[in-house]
Amino acid sequence: MPLLALFLGQQHFLEIVELKMQDLRYRQRPLAPIHPDILVIEIDDQTIEQYGGLFPLPRTQHAVLLNGLLSAGARAVAFDFLFSTPAAESMHDQLLGNVMARYSKHVVLATHFRAALDPAHATAGIPQEGQVLPPEQTIPGILPGVYGGTDLDLPTELYLQSGAGIAHVTFLEHLEADGSVRRAPLVLQYGSSLVPGFGLVTWLQAQGIRVQDVRLDVEGRRLLHVDGRPLVDLPDAALHEIDYAGGVDEFVAHRMSYVEALGLIYTASQSEDAEAAERLSEAFKDKVVLVGLTAKSSYSVD
């Protein structure tokens, strides 16, 4: 037994060394330019301070932001945080829900698998009562070997009914020996259907493709458009190698504070100045917008 433990320990050590060497080679590769249409609207420290140090922000402000972005011609807007609990004021939820419903083909909402995931859940997992996603917001079919689970932290019923795209933001931290995140699940099994990942749904929406128009080709291990066009090849276990775009500095031209974005929207809506409308269009037209939390004072920073 001691020899076995020593052997396994050495194997674990060598695996970690290989992973770190892989990271080193990865960092030394030339960085590809970030696509010009990507824009991150960040709930940063300035934003948190503007709203009295509180998060989540008022959903009335999300409604103004979402309406302004999509009115200005954004191709997709994806919220990288959960709407799993109702707002204190039901009218605030209703206002945001109405905007989501109006632009549902261009909106992505996050969901999260709370329980630990493993491939065994993929074929045995049955969604718990009250957690079932509408069929049009999942991809029908079972794909062997894919990670899956049953315990979903879903958007509230009002937001589910809006018809917005639902995407998981779940990472599998236990995949690598050193706990680093190098791969992300493109899809996760949920009973007899697949829940697509955040990046995948955002990309689909930006292409004008609804999740309900996506089908699974089990034998070919790929996703198809309902008309038969191939969309995405699924790697082993549907785990996609993350092509990290670099550090924060790489995104300087692709970032905007939440309060700055709202400022542009309010200025354009309250002014008859053609230049204000033009600035709004230049900032957001054709953009794929990710709205997320970057404030260093917050509990979670992606």
Side-chain angles (χ1 to χ4, degrees):
M1 289 296 292
L3 289 176
L4 178 60
L6 179 63
F7 173 75
L8 293 176
Q10 288 178 333
Q11 291 292 102
H12 182 74
F13 173 76
L14 291 174
E15 185 177 353
I16 290 177
V17 169
E18 174 55 34
L19 288 171
K20 297 305 182 186
M21 292 299 295
Q22 176 183 324
D23 291 346
L24 180 61
R25 293 192 295 270
Y26 189 89
R27 291 191 183 96
Q28 291 175 338
R29 85 198 195 289
L31 287 175
I34 297 170
H35 197 287
D37 290 346
I38 292 176
L39 175 65
V40 177
I41 292 183
E42 48 186 321
I43 300 174
D44 53 8
D45 287 303
Q46 178 189 0
T47 303
I48 297 293
E49 183 178 345
Q50 180 82 13
Y51 289 96
L54 299 176
F55 184 84
L57 303 183
R59 291 184 182 173
T60 51
Q61 299 305 288
H62 293 328
V64 172
L65 178 76
L66 184 61
N67 186 70
L69 291 171
L70 293 170
S71 297
R75 289 160 58 197
V77 179
F79 289 96
D80 190 14
F81 45 85
L82 302 177
F83 290 102
S84 54
T85 57
E89 298 287 341
S90 61
M91 288 301 296
H92 294 183
D93 272 335
Q94 192 64 57
L95 179 63
L96 178 55
N98 289 344
V99 178
M100 288 181 181
R102 189 183 316 144
Y103 294 107
S104 61
K105 294 180 180 180
H106 307 280
V107 181
V108 181
L109 301 179
T111 185
H112 181 261
F113 283 84
R114 288 176 290 211
L117 303 179
D118 60 64
H121 282 103
T123 54
I126 300 174
Q128 298 171 8
E129 186 177 354
Q131 287 193 315
V132 179
L133 273 165
E136 66 272 12
Q137 293 169 325
T138 60
I139 301 170
I142 292 176
L143 189 61
V146 172
Y147 285 75
T150 60
D151 193 8
L152 263 182
D153 201 356
L154 291 171
T156 63
E157 188 64 29
L158 175 67
Y159 295 137
L160 283 179
Q161 291 175 354
S162 73
I166 307 298
H168 79 79
V169 290
T170 306
F171 283 96
L172 307 175
E173 290 86 354
H174 66 282
L175 288 176
E176 312 290 0
D178 60 350
S180 296
V181 176
R182 297 180 180 85
R183 294 176 289 173
L186 286 175
V187 295
L188 288 170
Q189 197 77 44
Y190 183 60
S192 59
S193 58
L194 299 171
V195 179
F198 189 75
L200 177 56
V201 176
T202 304
W203 176 77
L204 289 170
Q205 297 274 50
Q207 304 296 316
I209 302 171
R210 305 293 300 274
V211 171
Q212 64 202 65
D213 294 327
V214 178
R215 297 291 180 266
L216 171 66
D217 172 11
V218 178
E219 291 187 4
R221 297 189 66 86
R222 59 184 179 172
L223 300 179
L224 306 175
H225 191 274
V226 69
D227 65 10
R229 282 182 290 141
L231 296 173
V232 178
D233 292 329
L234 296 175
D236 290 343
L239 296 174
H240 175 66
E241 295 282 347
I242 302 174
D243 186 12
Y244 284 104
V248 171
D249 292 343
E250 302 297 328
F251 281 86
V252 169
H254 303 270
R255 301 169 64 189
M256 181 181 294
S257 173
Y258 188 99
V259 291
E260 181 184 351
L262 275 182
L264 287 173
I265 291 167
Y266 277 121
T267 300
S269 66
Q270 297 172 1
S271 171
E272 297 182 0
D273 183 359
E275 289 186 4
E278 186 176 343
R279 285 196 298 271
L280 192 67
S281 179
E282 288 176 355
F284 303 132
K285 184 174 174 56
D286 293 328
K287 297 294 184 184
V288 177
V289 183
L290 310 178
V291 185
L293 189 63
T294 65
K296 294 181 175 62
S297 58
S298 69
Y299 60 90
S300 174
V301 178
D302 293 336

